[in-house]
Amino acid sequence: MRSARPYTPSRRDVLRLAGIGAGLGAAGLVLGACGSGGSEPAEAAAGEFGDIAIQLSWIKNIEFGGEYMADSRGYYTEAGFSNVELVSGPVDSADALVLAGNVDIGITAPDATARFITEQGAPLKVIGSTFQRNPFCILSLEDGTPIRTLADLAGKRIGIQAGTNQQIFAGLLAANDIDPSTIEQVVVQYEPAPLVEGTVDGFMAFLTNEPFLVAADGHTPVTLSFADNGLPLTSEVFTVLQETIDERRDMLKAFLKAEIRGWTDAVAEPGESARLAVEVYGADLGLDIPGQTEQAIAQNDLIVTDDTRANGLFTSTPEALERTIGAIGDMGISITAEELFDLSLLDEVYAENPDLVTA
C-alpha cells in the first residue's frame, strides 16, 4: 500500500516520477512545543547506540527539515548514535520496511500503521508525530472552479491519486455524510497539471505544497482543508516495532531527544532548514530556497499549536488521540488509541529533559 503524498519539486518543475505515488496518508497526532534547539541534554557515550536507519516518507525536501537540522548540527551524534541514515522515499510502505527490519524507524501515517496492525496483526506502535494537523486539502483555482466548502464538491470532477489518497478522500466523505455518487473522482498523478489544464475542477493536494506551485505559475489557489472539515488526522508519525520499544527503549528516547532539538531549530529557522534541503540533503532534486522557505513557514502552522507549546513537540493530548482514532474509524479502520500509540517514551523524555518542552 502506498502512503500518499504529493511531490515537492522546485516551483516550476514538472513531476518526472510518473507512476510513483507515495507519501504519507493521513496523519498522526503531535502536540509539540516550539522553541530553540539550544537546549543541551547530557551527551550519551560516543556511538553508544550504533547506527540507525530512518525511512523518510517522501523525497528529501523541506518536509524533513528537523531531521536535517538534527543531523547537520550533531544532535544525533550527541544523543549517542554513530551514524543516522536518512533513507529517501518515496516507498510503497514505510510500515512494511519497519516490520521487515530493513529500517529502525519509519516516518509514516497513523492510518497506514493502523491498517498493518488490524489487517496483519503487525506488532507496530506509533511513538510520536510531527504534524498536529494533516495537510490534505482539495485545491482549486480562483480563475477556474473555486471549491471553498464541502457543498461546493457536488457535481465536480476531483482528481484523486490512486491508493491511500482514495481511502482518505472516502473518509472525508463518510465523515460528512456526503454521497460519493455526487462527485466524479478522476485518478491523477501527484502534480497539479490536470487542475491547471482544466481537466479537473479540484485536486487532492497538501496545503504546504501544490498551492505554492500553482501560485508561482500565476494562479490564485483556493483550498478546502480536510482537518477543518471533519477529518482531523495529523501527519508524519514515528512508527517502530514493539520489540524495539521493549529491547531498545533508551535508543528510541535518544532518537526522540535529537528529533525534538532538530525540529525546534527547524521551526525557529525556516530559511536555514530550507537551505539544507536545497543545497545538501535534496541537492539533486532541483529545489529552490524561496519555495522551500515559504513551504517551511506554512509547515510550521501544522507543527506548532497551543498544546505543543504546553506539552512538547510530537506529543498528543488524549482528546487529540481520540479525534485521530475517530477519523481513522471514518476511513473504515477500527482500532483503539492503546493499540496504535505508545507515547510513554515521550513522557519520559520530557520528564527527564523539561527544558525541551519550552526550549
Side-chain angles (χ1 to χ4, degrees), residues 183-196:
I183 300 166
E184 183 179 355
Q185 297 185 42
V186 180
V187 176
V188 295
Q189 294 297 321
Y190 287 82
E191 50 90 16
L195 178 66
V196 173

Side-chain angles (χ1 to χ4, degrees), residues 63-217:
E63 186 171 328
F64 309 104
E67 281 73 36
Y68 308 152
M69 287 290 205
D71 186 42
S72 65
R73 294 185 172 181
Y75 298 157
Y76 292 130
T77 301
E78 291 173 16
F81 295 102
S82 303
N83 179 64
V84 174
E85 182 182 5
L86 302 177
V87 185
S88 182
V91 291
D92 285 345
S93 171
D95 296 273
L97 294 175
V98 172
L99 189 59
N102 293 351
V103 295
D104 301 283
I105 298 154
I107 298 178
T108 178
D111 59 292
T113 302
R115 286 190 187 278
F116 265 78
I117 294 171
T118 58
E119 295 177 3
Q120 301 184 27
L124 298 172
K125 278 289 190 343
V126 170
I127 61 170
S129 324
T130 307
F131 291 176
Q132 298 306 300
R133 293 161 43 84
N134 79 77
F136 283 104
C137 70
I138 294 300
L139 171 65
S140 57
L141 303 178
E142 190 69 56
D143 53 323
T145 306
I147 300 171
R148 307 182 197 280
T149 68
L150 291 169
D152 292 339
L153 289 169
K156 303 300 192 300
R157 287 171 56 87
I158 307 298
I160 309 290
Q161 299 79 13
T164 301
N165 276 12
Q166 292 172 315
Q167 297 165 350
I168 296 168
F169 186 67
L172 176 73
L173 300 186
N176 291 282
D177 296 321
I178 297 174
D179 183 350
S181 69
T182 63
I183 300 166
E184 183 179 355
Q185 297 185 42
V186 180
V187 176
V188 295
Q189 294 297 321
Y190 287 82
E191 50 90 16
L195 178 66
V196 173
E197 294 165 358
T199 58
V200 297
D201 303 307
F203 181 87
M204 189 165 169
F206 264 30
L207 292 165
T208 54
N209 187 354
E210 285 87 351
F212 295 100
L213 301 182
V214 300
D217 283 335

